[in-house]
Amino acid sequence: MRDLLTAAEYAAIAESMTFPCTAFINGSFRPAASGQRFQTTNPATGKVLSEVSACAAEDVDYAVTKAREAFDDGRWRLLAPGERKAVLLQFAKLLEQNRHELAVMESLDSGKPIRECQTIDVPETIHTLKWHAELIDKIYDNTAPVGNDALTMVVREPIGVVGCVLPWNFPLLMLAWKIGPALAAGCSVIVKPAEQTSLTTLRVAELAFEAGIPAGVLNIVTGTGKAVGEPIGLHKDIDMVSFTGSTATGRRFLHYAADSNLKRIVLECGGKNPAVVLDDAEDLDLVAEQVVNGAFWNMGENCSATSRLIVHSSIKDELLTRMGAYMREWKMGNPLDPQNRVGTLISSDHFAKVKSYLERASEEGLEACYGGDTQDDIYVQPTVVDGVDRNSRLFQEEIFGPVLSVTTFNSVSEAIALANDTAYGLAASVYTGSLRKAIKVAREIRAGVVTVNCFGEGDVSTPFGGYKESGFGGRDKSIFAHDQYTEIKTIWIDVSDRSVDETVR
């Protein structure tokens, strides 16, 4: 597989690695003002990787001050678009040169399989930054058709100081989704990584500064949600916050905005995503492969994961049989071994949460037709639970682990109703041999991303975000992501004959 090393080579990189441990503000590493630290551990081994600065409101204030200074003096936003592009492309080049280090660091810190870090997360991070860099000098502003007496320009300007609050499931990729368009727009950025996975974010900031992004433009403030996330949300000199994480925490950021300066808030939150398989699906082997990948990629710790299989009753048994063949390929074990596709969950607390849903399935009289086992209080085997009712917690609640519920239907209208029977609306997939049915179901499912005959999220050129409790205020990825990091300004210039005559007089 592309760019994969051996397990021994990854182990050697891990053994020789040193980890960043302090916040990165105004172009340099610095400890928290309090001197406090917290431990970040390898979930697969329990070993402490580093003690990271436990920042708080005082550190957020300092980072905002330096970010505002950088924004106001224009050291980044006033560079010509081509100059900003060149710096971001150099930044991407440095990430490419350090790709193995970043992949190993990401795997150690999160429990993610190294094969995913190396072949998906790191390459997509680099590609995302390149894509947004190349867009900088290709977005045109507008004029309005106002007649001959005026000239009107509608222009984008960087919104200012941006707070980016990241989840722990895709630390590198979610960082790129946010800082790519924010830096391309000319903003100054303050990033709060998840306290469970701060290491790669700190290393990326160091490489960004080395590439030429000026001091104060990209700052990393490490710490807990209460100590760092809340001060970012409430800070009156932060103009916008982009948050990815739980719906419950996303609600808090809306309150923070209301209680402070009405800063713009963009939320990408939870999901309970259906795969709807109609009885005319043409290739059940393909369906089985795609559903398994959608459900168990990244251990199901993915907001767009396929967590509900909604399948026509006439083909359910055959589909489940074929899924079993593909599930044998999902080997669980040491995340640094590229042969393994299932690593650990992020923490013991999250393991306990996911395990509770397996116990809940048993309480509801449901049985796992595949999987259901746990290992070392940190691994959860990919699990398929059949016969799940729409009123079950397994059907309604985001588990964020490798647990797929199976529910049957007998008509297209019933399938659509089941797919929409959730508070979320992030992603969905539809499997059918009929183009007419594909379009009908895709249009009627209330989700921000609907794929047909495949699992996925599109690519960097397509917007990502959700309906209902899955999203608010904007989209990640694509040209649409740039809109949320900019303000729209109208400049009206009077060029009427009257104004010319008055000037002559």
mmCIF file of all heavy atoms in Angstrom, residues 266-300:
data_model
loop_
_atom_site.group_PDB
_atom_site.id
_atom_site.type_symbol
_atom_site.label_atom_id
_atom_site.label_comp_id
_atom_site.label_asym_id
_atom_site.label_seq_id
_atom_site.Cartn_x
_atom_site.Cartn_y
_atom_site.Cartn_z
ATOM 1 N N VAL A 266 -19.377 28.376 13.616
ATOM 2 C CA VAL A 266 -19.606 27.307 12.652
ATOM 3 C C VAL A 266 -19.414 25.988 13.385
ATOM 4 O O VAL A 266 -18.364 25.757 13.990
ATOM 5 C CB VAL A 266 -18.651 27.410 11.456
ATOM 6 C CG1 VAL A 266 -18.829 26.211 10.529
ATOM 7 C CG2 VAL A 266 -18.900 28.706 10.685
ATOM 8 N N LEU A 267 -20.424 25.142 13.336
ATOM 9 C CA LEU A 267 -20.404 23.887 14.080
ATOM 10 C C LEU A 267 -20.506 22.696 13.132
ATOM 11 O O LEU A 267 -21.370 22.667 12.256
ATOM 12 C CB LEU A 267 -21.586 23.822 15.056
ATOM 13 C CG LEU A 267 -21.744 24.955 16.067
ATOM 14 C CD1 LEU A 267 -22.994 24.722 16.902
ATOM 15 C CD2 LEU A 267 -20.508 25.053 16.956
ATOM 16 N N GLU A 268 -19.617 21.728 13.333
ATOM 17 C CA GLU A 268 -19.756 20.421 12.698
ATOM 18 C C GLU A 268 -19.795 19.423 13.833
ATOM 19 O O GLU A 268 -18.796 19.202 14.520
ATOM 20 C CB GLU A 268 -18.592 20.153 11.736
ATOM 21 C CG GLU A 268 -18.847 18.991 10.794
ATOM 22 C CD GLU A 268 -18.471 17.659 11.393
ATOM 23 O OE1 GLU A 268 -17.283 17.364 11.467
ATOM 24 O OE2 GLU A 268 -19.402 16.920 11.817
ATOM 25 N N CYS A 269 -20.966 18.831 14.042
ATOM 26 C CA CYS A 269 -21.199 18.052 15.268
ATOM 27 C C CYS A 269 -21.452 16.581 14.949
ATOM 28 O O CYS A 269 -20.870 16.040 14.026
ATOM 29 C CB CYS A 269 -22.344 18.682 16.054
ATOM 30 S SG CYS A 269 -22.002 20.388 16.579
ATOM 31 N N GLY A 270 -22.326 15.955 15.715
ATOM 32 C CA GLY A 270 -22.464 14.510 15.652
ATOM 33 C C GLY A 270 -23.251 14.001 14.454
ATOM 34 O O GLY A 270 -23.777 14.757 13.641
ATOM 35 N N GLY A 271 -23.333 12.690 14.373
ATOM 36 C CA GLY A 271 -24.081 12.048 13.300
ATOM 37 C C GLY A 271 -24.568 10.674 13.716
ATOM 38 O O GLY A 271 -24.009 10.043 14.615
ATOM 39 N N LYS A 272 -25.619 10.237 13.075
ATOM 40 C CA LYS A 272 -26.135 8.867 13.239
ATOM 41 C C LYS A 272 -26.552 8.414 11.856
ATOM 42 O O LYS A 272 -27.726 8.404 11.488
ATOM 43 C CB LYS A 272 -27.313 8.853 14.220
ATOM 44 C CG LYS A 272 -27.743 7.452 14.632
ATOM 45 C CD LYS A 272 -26.657 6.751 15.440
ATOM 46 C CE LYS A 272 -27.098 5.369 15.862
ATOM 47 N NZ LYS A 272 -25.997 4.618 16.520
ATOM 48 N N ASN A 273 -25.553 8.055 11.058
ATOM 49 C CA ASN A 273 -25.668 8.059 9.611
ATOM 50 C C ASN A 273 -26.160 6.725 9.056
ATOM 51 O O ASN A 273 -25.619 5.669 9.382
ATOM 52 C CB ASN A 273 -24.304 8.401 9.016
ATOM 53 C CG ASN A 273 -23.704 9.616 9.701
ATOM 54 O OD1 ASN A 273 -24.209 10.719 9.597
ATOM 55 N ND2 ASN A 273 -22.633 9.398 10.465
ATOM 56 N N PRO A 274 -27.173 6.774 8.190
ATOM 57 C CA PRO A 274 -27.726 5.543 7.640
ATOM 58 C C PRO A 274 -27.082 5.141 6.323
ATOM 59 O O PRO A 274 -26.694 5.981 5.509
ATOM 60 C CB PRO A 274 -29.194 5.925 7.410
ATOM 61 C CG PRO A 274 -29.133 7.381 7.049
ATOM 62 C CD PRO A 274 -27.989 7.957 7.858
ATOM 63 N N ALA A 275 -27.000 3.828 6.118
ATOM 64 C CA ALA A 275 -26.762 3.261 4.795
ATOM 65 C C ALA A 275 -28.059 2.574 4.396
ATOM 66 O O ALA A 275 -28.476 1.601 5.030
ATOM 67 C CB ALA A 275 -25.613 2.271 4.818
ATOM 68 N N VAL A 276 -28.720 3.100 3.380
ATOM 69 C CA VAL A 276 -30.013 2.584 2.932
ATOM 70 C C VAL A 276 -29.770 1.679 1.730
ATOM 71 O O VAL A 276 -29.294 2.142 0.681
ATOM 72 C CB VAL A 276 -30.968 3.734 2.572
ATOM 73 C CG1 VAL A 276 -32.293 3.171 2.054
ATOM 74 C CG2 VAL A 276 -31.206 4.632 3.780
ATOM 75 N N VAL A 277 -30.087 0.391 1.878
ATOM 76 C CA VAL A 277 -29.842 -0.584 0.820
ATOM 77 C C VAL A 277 -31.186 -1.064 0.295
ATOM 78 O O VAL A 277 -31.924 -1.774 0.996
ATOM 79 C CB VAL A 277 -28.998 -1.765 1.324
ATOM 80 C CG1 VAL A 277 -28.663 -2.700 0.159
ATOM 81 C CG2 VAL A 277 -27.719 -1.273 1.993
ATOM 82 N N LEU A 278 -31.522 -0.655 -0.938
ATOM 83 C CA LEU A 278 -32.777 -1.061 -1.554
ATOM 84 C C LEU A 278 -32.654 -2.464 -2.151
ATOM 85 O O LEU A 278 -31.546 -2.979 -2.363
ATOM 86 C CB LEU A 278 -33.168 -0.055 -2.633
ATOM 87 C CG LEU A 278 -33.291 1.412 -2.184
ATOM 88 C CD1 LEU A 278 -33.804 2.269 -3.327
ATOM 89 C CD2 LEU A 278 -34.183 1.564 -0.968
ATOM 90 N N ASP A 279 -33.796 -3.057 -2.432
ATOM 91 C CA ASP A 279 -33.782 -4.450 -2.875
ATOM 92 C C ASP A 279 -33.276 -4.615 -4.297
ATOM 93 O O ASP A 279 -33.047 -5.739 -4.750
ATOM 94 C CB ASP A 279 -35.174 -5.084 -2.740
ATOM 95 C CG ASP A 279 -36.250 -4.347 -3.527
ATOM 96 O OD1 ASP A 279 -35.952 -3.262 -4.076
ATOM 97 O OD2 ASP A 279 -37.392 -4.847 -3.586
ATOM 98 N N ASP A 280 -33.063 -3.510 -5.010
ATOM 99 C CA ASP A 280 -32.528 -3.604 -6.366
ATOM 100 C C ASP A 280 -31.046 -3.236 -6.431
ATOM 101 O O ASP A 280 -30.521 -2.977 -7.519
ATOM 102 C CB ASP A 280 -33.335 -2.734 -7.330
ATOM 103 C CG ASP A 280 -33.275 -1.249 -6.975
ATOM 104 O OD1 ASP A 280 -32.723 -0.913 -5.895
ATOM 105 O OD2 ASP A 280 -33.764 -0.427 -7.770
ATOM 106 N N ALA A 281 -30.377 -3.198 -5.283
ATOM 107 C CA ALA A 281 -28.932 -2.947 -5.280
ATOM 108 C C ALA A 281 -28.255 -3.998 -6.146
ATOM 109 O O ALA A 281 -28.512 -5.202 -6.000
ATOM 110 C CB ALA A 281 -28.388 -2.977 -3.857
ATOM 111 N N GLU A 282 -27.387 -3.562 -7.061
ATOM 112 C CA GLU A 282 -26.908 -4.455 -8.120
ATOM 113 C C GLU A 282 -25.742 -5.348 -7.701
ATOM 114 O O GLU A 282 -25.591 -6.447 -8.211
ATOM 115 C CB GLU A 282 -26.504 -3.621 -9.337
ATOM 116 C CG GLU A 282 -27.674 -2.938 -10.010
ATOM 117 C CD GLU A 282 -27.259 -2.114 -11.206
ATOM 118 O OE1 GLU A 282 -26.118 -1.594 -11.200
ATOM 119 O OE2 GLU A 282 -28.063 -1.983 -12.138
ATOM 120 N N ASP A 283 -24.903 -4.897 -6.797
ATOM 121 C CA ASP A 283 -23.684 -5.643 -6.460
ATOM 122 C C ASP A 283 -23.575 -5.715 -4.951
ATOM 123 O O ASP A 283 -23.021 -4.813 -4.306
ATOM 124 C CB ASP A 283 -22.470 -4.939 -7.069
ATOM 125 C CG ASP A 283 -21.178 -5.721 -6.874
ATOM 126 O OD1 ASP A 283 -21.164 -6.648 -6.039
ATOM 127 O OD2 ASP A 283 -20.179 -5.383 -7.548
ATOM 128 N N LEU A 284 -24.093 -6.781 -4.350
ATOM 129 C CA LEU A 284 -24.110 -6.868 -2.893
ATOM 130 C C LEU A 284 -22.713 -7.034 -2.311
ATOM 131 O O LEU A 284 -22.482 -6.681 -1.149
ATOM 132 C CB LEU A 284 -25.018 -8.020 -2.436
ATOM 133 C CG LEU A 284 -26.520 -7.764 -2.569
ATOM 134 C CD1 LEU A 284 -27.303 -8.905 -1.921
ATOM 135 C CD2 LEU A 284 -26.925 -6.435 -1.949
ATOM 136 N N ASP A 285 -21.763 -7.556 -3.091
ATOM 137 C CA ASP A 285 -20.382 -7.600 -2.601
ATOM 138 C C ASP A 285 -19.842 -6.183 -2.418
ATOM 139 O O ASP A 285 -19.199 -5.874 -1.413
ATOM 140 C CB ASP A 285 -19.485 -8.380 -3.566
ATOM 141 C CG ASP A 285 -19.592 -9.873 -3.369
ATOM 142 O OD1 ASP A 285 -19.768 -10.302 -2.206
ATOM 143 O OD2 ASP A 285 -19.519 -10.612 -4.358
ATOM 144 N N LEU A 286 -20.099 -5.322 -3.403
ATOM 145 C CA LEU A 286 -19.674 -3.928 -3.281
ATOM 146 C C LEU A 286 -20.374 -3.258 -2.104
ATOM 147 O O LEU A 286 -19.744 -2.546 -1.317
ATOM 148 C CB LEU A 286 -19.983 -3.171 -4.570
ATOM 149 C CG LEU A 286 -19.765 -1.651 -4.514
ATOM 150 C CD1 LEU A 286 -18.292 -1.326 -4.337
ATOM 151 C CD2 LEU A 286 -20.326 -0.971 -5.764
ATOM 152 N N VAL A 287 -21.671 -3.478 -1.968
ATOM 153 C CA VAL A 287 -22.411 -2.894 -0.847
ATOM 154 C C VAL A 287 -21.813 -3.353 0.469
ATOM 155 O O VAL A 287 -21.577 -2.549 1.378
ATOM 156 C CB VAL A 287 -23.899 -3.266 -0.930
ATOM 157 C CG1 VAL A 287 -24.637 -2.737 0.303
ATOM 158 C CG2 VAL A 287 -24.526 -2.717 -2.196
ATOM 159 N N ALA A 288 -21.558 -4.644 0.587
ATOM 160 C CA ALA A 288 -21.005 -5.184 1.830
ATOM 161 C C ALA A 288 -19.669 -4.542 2.157
ATOM 162 O O ALA A 288 -19.417 -4.134 3.300
ATOM 163 C CB ALA A 288 -20.848 -6.698 1.704
ATOM 164 N N GLU A 289 -18.810 -4.437 1.164
ATOM 165 C CA GLU A 289 -17.493 -3.836 1.380
ATOM 166 C C GLU A 289 -17.611 -2.387 1.820
ATOM 167 O O GLU A 289 -16.939 -1.942 2.764
ATOM 168 C CB GLU A 289 -16.666 -3.925 0.100
ATOM 169 C CG GLU A 289 -15.273 -3.342 0.230
ATOM 170 C CD GLU A 289 -14.515 -3.373 -1.079
ATOM 171 O OE1 GLU A 289 -15.158 -3.346 -2.154
ATOM 172 O OE2 GLU A 289 -13.278 -3.414 -1.039
ATOM 173 N N GLN A 290 -18.487 -1.631 1.158
ATOM 174 C CA GLN A 290 -18.631 -0.212 1.473
ATOM 175 C C GLN A 290 -19.268 0.004 2.845
ATOM 176 O O GLN A 290 -18.851 0.896 3.597
ATOM 177 C CB GLN A 290 -19.468 0.472 0.391
ATOM 178 C CG GLN A 290 -18.802 0.538 -0.973
ATOM 179 C CD GLN A 290 -17.583 1.449 -0.974
ATOM 180 O OE1 GLN A 290 -17.664 2.610 -0.624
ATOM 181 N NE2 GLN A 290 -16.442 0.903 -1.374
ATOM 182 N N VAL A 291 -20.258 -0.784 3.198
ATOM 183 C CA VAL A 291 -20.900 -0.644 4.512
ATOM 184 C C VAL A 291 -19.915 -0.986 5.624
ATOM 185 O O VAL A 291 -19.835 -0.279 6.639
ATOM 186 C CB VAL A 291 -22.162 -1.526 4.594
ATOM 187 C CG1 VAL A 291 -22.684 -1.577 6.032
ATOM 188 C CG2 VAL A 291 -23.245 -0.997 3.667
ATOM 189 N N VAL A 292 -19.160 -2.045 5.450
ATOM 190 C CA VAL A 292 -18.165 -2.425 6.468
ATOM 191 C C VAL A 292 -17.120 -1.336 6.629
ATOM 192 O O VAL A 292 -16.760 -0.953 7.754
ATOM 193 C CB VAL A 292 -17.519 -3.782 6.102
ATOM 194 C CG1 VAL A 292 -16.288 -4.051 6.963
ATOM 195 C CG2 VAL A 292 -18.528 -4.906 6.265
ATOM 196 N N ASN A 293 -16.627 -0.805 5.525
ATOM 197 C CA ASN A 293 -15.640 0.271 5.600
ATOM 198 C C ASN A 293 -16.235 1.507 6.277
ATOM 199 O O ASN A 293 -15.597 2.121 7.140
ATOM 200 C CB ASN A 293 -15.158 0.637 4.199
ATOM 201 C CG ASN A 293 -14.079 1.699 4.216
ATOM 202 O OD1 ASN A 293 -13.050 1.557 4.861
ATOM 203 N ND2 ASN A 293 -14.319 2.803 3.512
ATOM 204 N N GLY A 294 -17.458 1.862 5.905
ATOM 205 C CA GLY A 294 -18.090 3.031 6.502
ATOM 206 C C GLY A 294 -18.340 2.883 7.986
ATOM 207 O O GLY A 294 -18.267 3.865 8.734
ATOM 208 N N ALA A 295 -18.637 1.676 8.423
ATOM 209 C CA ALA A 295 -18.951 1.453 9.831
ATOM 210 C C ALA A 295 -17.709 1.375 10.711
ATOM 211 O O ALA A 295 -17.738 1.830 11.862
ATOM 212 C CB ALA A 295 -19.768 0.174 9.981
ATOM 213 N N PHE A 296 -16.609 0.824 10.199
ATOM 214 C CA PHE A 296 -15.492 0.466 11.080
ATOM 215 C C PHE A 296 -14.194 1.211 10.813
ATOM 216 O O PHE A 296 -13.231 1.072 11.574
ATOM 217 C CB PHE A 296 -15.269 -1.045 11.008
ATOM 218 C CG PHE A 296 -16.525 -1.826 11.327
ATOM 219 C CD1 PHE A 296 -17.004 -2.786 10.466
ATOM 220 C CD2 PHE A 296 -17.250 -1.541 12.480
ATOM 221 C CE1 PHE A 296 -18.167 -3.478 10.749
ATOM 222 C CE2 PHE A 296 -18.415 -2.227 12.776
ATOM 223 C CZ PHE A 296 -18.877 -3.201 11.910
ATOM 224 N N TRP A 297 -14.168 2.008 9.747
ATOM 225 C CA TRP A 297 -13.005 2.874 9.516
ATOM 226 C C TRP A 297 -12.798 3.768 10.740
ATOM 227 O O TRP A 297 -13.728 4.324 11.304
ATOM 228 C CB TRP A 297 -13.266 3.701 8.259
ATOM 229 C CG TRP A 297 -12.289 4.786 7.994
ATOM 230 C CD1 TRP A 297 -10.934 4.704 8.045
ATOM 231 C CD2 TRP A 297 -12.596 6.136 7.604
ATOM 232 N NE1 TRP A 297 -10.373 5.914 7.717
ATOM 233 C CE2 TRP A 297 -11.360 6.807 7.445
ATOM 234 C CE3 TRP A 297 -13.780 6.824 7.371
ATOM 235 C CZ2 TRP A 297 -11.286 8.143 7.066
ATOM 236 C CZ3 TRP A 297 -13.707 8.152 6.988
ATOM 237 C CH2 TRP A 297 -12.469 8.806 6.842
ATOM 238 N N ASN A 298 -11.539 3.867 11.180
ATOM 239 C CA ASN A 298 -11.189 4.669 12.356
ATOM 240 C C ASN A 298 -11.953 4.214 13.598
ATOM 241 O O ASN A 298 -12.312 5.007 14.458
ATOM 242 C CB ASN A 298 -11.429 6.162 12.114
ATOM 243 C CG ASN A 298 -10.606 7.031 13.044
ATOM 244 O OD1 ASN A 298 -9.404 6.823 13.198
ATOM 245 N ND2 ASN A 298 -11.244 7.998 13.693
ATOM 246 N N MET A 299 -12.215 2.904 13.681
ATOM 247 C CA MET A 299 -12.915 2.296 14.820
ATOM 248 C C MET A 299 -14.315 2.877 15.028
ATOM 249 O O MET A 299 -14.851 2.884 16.131
ATOM 250 C CB MET A 299 -12.099 2.423 16.114
ATOM 251 C CG MET A 299 -10.788 1.644 16.132
ATOM 252 S SD MET A 299 -9.524 2.342 15.051
ATOM 253 C CE MET A 299 -9.153 3.855 15.924
ATOM 254 N N GLY A 300 -14.904 3.401 13.971
ATOM 255 C CA GLY A 300 -16.211 4.027 14.104
ATOM 256 C C GLY A 300 -16.174 5.363 14.816
ATOM 257 O O GLY A 300 -17.221 5.979 15.046
#
